[in-house]
Amino acid sequence: MYFAALLARTEDGWEASDTDLDDVETLSDLTDLAREASVDEETVLVFIEQEDSWFGILRVEGEEDPRIYVSDAASAARSSYGEILIDELLGGDDDDPADDLDALDLDGTEDGEPDERDDTYDDDSDDDASVTDGEAAPAGPVGDRGILADLGLSEADLLALESDAMAEIAEALGASEVLETVR
């Protein structure tokens, strides 16, 4: 079961609305939905959460490209809405998807350092979680870890969220009460 909500920043604070994702099939659809909720091209956050399995955040500001964060790519890749976000983060539109993967700091290791988890996610895996070109989505967070830093939730705090992440994020943003009205 999914829960999805929009938080739109206004002069007076945040406005929340629950949102129906039935007509959302692409990232462009989701971005358009967020832009429609925007007041004067202010920040709009789209939260998608699946039963404490994973959560994703899409941040839209005016006509800028959306920023995306997903708490667990492997779990999100198993869901239709999560796959929309994961495909954008891992698939991209470039000719070589490996270039996109190299650009993302998916596991926190520096270039040239061995990844202790490499043997866990080999290409011969029968894992259900797949993204563009059939590559397995990595376990753990992907995307813009600083997506909420300027709004009061640091990168470290975002990475530490586990259950009821939306409530904790809303609290850090000062939007707990408005989010509760749509839950």
Side-chain angles (χ1 to χ4, degrees):
M1 174 170 237
Y2 293 97
F3 173 73
L6 289 167
L7 279 179
R9 192 178 217 175
T10 68
E11 286 180 3
D12 301 324
W14 293 96
E15 289 182 6
S17 60
D18 60 345
T19 186
D20 183 11
L21 299 178
D22 289 343
D23 296 331
V24 173
E25 295 179 6
T26 66
L27 181 64
S28 183
D29 293 342
L30 192 58
T31 302
D32 290 345
L33 185 71
R35 286 194 173 115
E36 289 170 11
S38 178
V39 177
D40 297 327
E41 296 192 2
E42 284 285 339
T43 301
V44 176
L45 302 172
V46 179
F47 294 108
I48 303 172
E49 182 177 58
Q50 185 180 16
E51 296 179 344
D52 294 330
S53 174
W54 66 274
F55 68 92
I57 303 167
L58 175 80
R59 180 175 177 167
V60 176
E61 294 175 301
E63 292 300 316
E64 292 181 26
D65 287 340
R67 296 168 61 188
I68 302 167
Y69 173 81
V70 176
S71 66
D72 187 331
S75 294
R78 292 185 203 107
S79 77
S80 58
Y81 300 122
E83 191 172 24
I84 290 170
L85 300 175
I86 298 302
D87 280 350
E88 176 65 22
L89 289 170
L90 301 180
D93 295 325
D94 294 341
D95 292 335
D96 186 4
D99 291 341
D100 292 334
L101 290 173
D102 291 339
L104 295 172
D105 182 20
L106 298 175
D107 60 8
T109 61
E110 297 293 325
D111 288 339
E113 286 184 26
D115 182 358
E116 296 172 8
R117 296 180 290 178
D118 279 347
D119 59 340
T120 307
Y121 302 102
D122 61 29
D123 290 342
D124 298 329
S125 163
D126 291 333
D127 194 332
D128 291 337
S130 62
V131 293
T132 306
D133 296 335
E135 294 187 24
V142 294
D144 185 348
R145 295 174 183 186
I147 193 168
L148 301 174
D150 64 322
L151 299 175
L153 189 71
S154 73
E155 198 173 312
D157 290 338
L158 181 64
L159 291 170
L161 296 176
E162 291 181 15
S163 64
D164 206 17
M166 286 178 140
E168 291 184 45
I169 291 169
E171 186 174 322
L173 301 177
S176 294
E177 289 180 22
V178 294
L179 183 63
E180 266 316 299
T181 63
V182 298
R183 269 199 159 198

